[in-house]
């Protein structure tokens, strides 16, 4: 199994400041034949299902504010919120889809307002 | 409206069975892989099972292999999860999640259905 490890487990950031969440995979999720990283990011607010933010490690889903960005390649990835807004309080998950046996998520990072 | 609506959850005794359904609308159901993802109370996301566009390939987490069966009825735009030999640790909200074509990232999620396994 590809193990996904996020850091930190929780994070408190002031409004308007930058928030950075890291995700590390136990093996590369870069598929060399198409040079794509099979890595997605989700946001989950309390009482709601997850929402797709980023796929292919850095492609923003339609309708997602441009303050959200994804970067990284191979085994190390980052989700950055450039200027934290109150509505960004949530738990964030990374997910690898390089291997379907099984598909795996990170443990989640809880983002709060400082 | 593009949506997924799960049903079939409830309270079941250990060793019992449940069948979850996920009704899809607003998109071409037969064009995308489909999945079940669960979330135990206060815990993170756990992928449970996935099924290919044709339904010919199915995938399971080790924790449910041999007990759960995923299937899809494309004419009816419905995804199913048959859950047998349920255990307390299967207690969770079960989400239906849509992939993108044959790719297993999930761009549409249902609101979930709660399964509680308890005596």
């Amino acid at each position: 199994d590809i193990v996904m490890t996020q850091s930190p487990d929780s994070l408190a950031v002031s409004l308007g400041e930058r928030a950075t969440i890291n995700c590390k995979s136990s093996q590369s999720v870069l598929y060399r034949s198409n040079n794509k990283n099979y890595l997605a990011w989700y946001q989950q607010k309390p009482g709601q299902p997850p929402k797709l933010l980023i796929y292919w490690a850095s492609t923003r889903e339609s309708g997602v504010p441009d303050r959200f960005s994804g970067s990284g390649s191979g085994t190390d990835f980052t989700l950055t919120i450039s200027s934290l807004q109150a509505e960004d309080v949530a738990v964030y998950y990374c997910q690898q889809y390089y291997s379907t046996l099984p598909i795996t998520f990170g443990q989640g990072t809880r983002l709060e307002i400082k | 409206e593009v949506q997924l609506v799960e049903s079939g959850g409830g309270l079941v005794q250990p060793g019992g069975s449940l069948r979850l359904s996920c009704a899809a609308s607003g998109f071409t159901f037969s064009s995308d892989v489909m999945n079940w993802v669960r979330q135990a109370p206060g815990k993170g996301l756990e992928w449970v099972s996935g099924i290919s566009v044709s339904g010919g390939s199915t995938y399971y987490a080790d924790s449910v292999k041999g007990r759960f069966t995923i299937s899809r009825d494309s004419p009816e735009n419905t995804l199913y999860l048959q859950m047998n030999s349920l255990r307390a640790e299967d207690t969770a909200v079960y989400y239906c999640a849509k992939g993108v074509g044959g790719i297993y990232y999930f761009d549409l999620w249902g609101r979930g259905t709660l399964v509680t396994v308890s005596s």
Side-chain angles (χ1 to χ4, degrees):
Chain A
D1 298 8
I2 299 177
V3 177
M4 308 300 291
T5 304
Q6 293 180 224
S7 61
D9 289 334
S10 63
L11 180 63
V13 175
S14 301
L15 290 173
E17 296 299 305
R18 178 184 301 261
T20 301
I21 298 169
N22 300 300
C23 175
K24 188 174 184 67
S25 57
S26 61
Q27 64 188 73
S28 176
V29 298
L30 173 63
Y31 195 43
R32 297 214 176 267
S33 66
N34 60 9
N35 200 36
K36 288 189 173 185
N37 288 283
Y38 283 56
L39 188 285
W41 289 96
Y42 300 87
Q43 175 193 64
Q44 187 178 31
K45 296 181 179 180
Q48 296 185 19
K51 173 188 173 184
L52 176 67
L53 296 176
I54 303 283
Y55 56 96
W56 300 129
S58 60
T59 301
R60 199 179 304 114
E61 173 73 336
S62 175
V64 173
D66 61 7
R67 63 180 181 273
F68 291 90
S69 64
S71 63
S73 184
T75 62
D76 292 280
F77 301 90
T78 300
L79 175 69
T80 301
I81 308 172
S82 60
S83 177
L84 189 70
Q85 305 299 303
E87 61 265 32
D88 300 335
V89 169
V91 179
Y92 293 84
Y93 295 93
C94 61
Q95 175 228 334
Q96 68 80 21
Y97 47 100
Y98 181 91
S99 170
T100 53
L101 296 173
I103 290 160
T104 48
F105 291 89
Q107 79 276 18
T109 295
R110 186 174 303 275
L111 177 59
E112 300 173 334
I113 304 295
K114 185 187 291 183
Chain B
E1 181 185 2
V2 178
Q3 63 177 356
L4 299 169
V5 179
E6 302 93 338
S7 60
L11 175 63
V12 62
Q13 292 188 338
S17 298
L18 276 179
R19 188 195 199 200
L20 305 184
S21 299
C22 170
S25 59
F27 64 96
T28 305
F29 179 75
S30 59
S31 296
D32 297 307
V33 298
M34 295 296 297
N35 297 263
W36 291 97
V37 177
R38 69 185 179 184
Q39 187 168 37
K43 302 297 184 183
L45 301 172
E46 180 188 17
W47 174 82
V48 171
S49 183
I51 187 166
S52 63
V53 169
S54 68
S57 296
T58 56
Y59 308 95
Y60 299 94
D62 284 347
S63 58
V64 307
K65 200 172 296 182
R67 300 187 298 123
F68 290 11
T69 302
I70 191 172
S71 61
R72 65 190 300 163
D73 185 337
S74 288
E76 293 296 322
N77 291 341
T78 304
L79 177 72
Y80 299 102
L81 186 68
Q82 178 67 43
M83 304 187 296
N84 299 329
S85 303
L86 283 161
R87 306 166 179 167
E89 54 264 37
D90 296 318
T91 294
V93 173
Y94 284 72
Y95 295 105
C96 173
K98 168 187 163 306
V100 178
I103 307 298
Y104 285 82
Y105 67 85
F106 311 132
D107 68 341
L108 180 66
W109 296 66
R111 296 205 64 85
T113 186
L114 176 62
V115 172
T116 303
V117 184
S118 175
S119 55

